[in-house]
Amino acid sequence: METIIASNDTIRLNFLMALLRDAGLAPVLLDQNIAAIEGNIGAFPRRIAVAADEAAQARRILLEAGET
């Protein structure tokens, strides 16, 4: 697994997860539990990760969508 983006913005993360899923990838949202434990104050960003062999495609999709 490779992390392709990290953010505290849950709406953005949900959008990016949907974007990657629509492209046929299988993204995973990491660090949801630690964010909930710390009270969602933003101290621990959540990360989106994909399989190593999908990382280049995922980065290209995010770049084409204007997300870096």
Side-chain angles (χ1 to χ4, degrees):
M1 297 298 282
E2 287 189 36
T3 300
I4 57 168
I5 198 158
S7 177
N8 288 324
D9 185 342
T10 56
I11 295 170
R12 179 178 180 223
L13 289 170
N14 287 332
F15 168 73
L16 297 177
M17 290 285 288
L19 187 67
L20 294 170
R21 284 187 192 121
D22 287 348
L25 303 180
V28 177
L29 187 60
L30 304 174
D31 302 323
Q32 294 180 83
N33 294 333
I34 191 67
I37 290 171
E38 53 99 15
N40 290 322
I41 62 170
F44 297 97
R46 292 167 186 90
R47 299 173 291 150
I48 295 178
V50 295
D53 61 334
E54 295 179 339
Q57 181 183 2
R59 287 187 178 97
R60 188 184 79 248
I61 291 165
L62 296 181
L63 186 61
E64 289 173 0
E67 297 288 336
T68 56

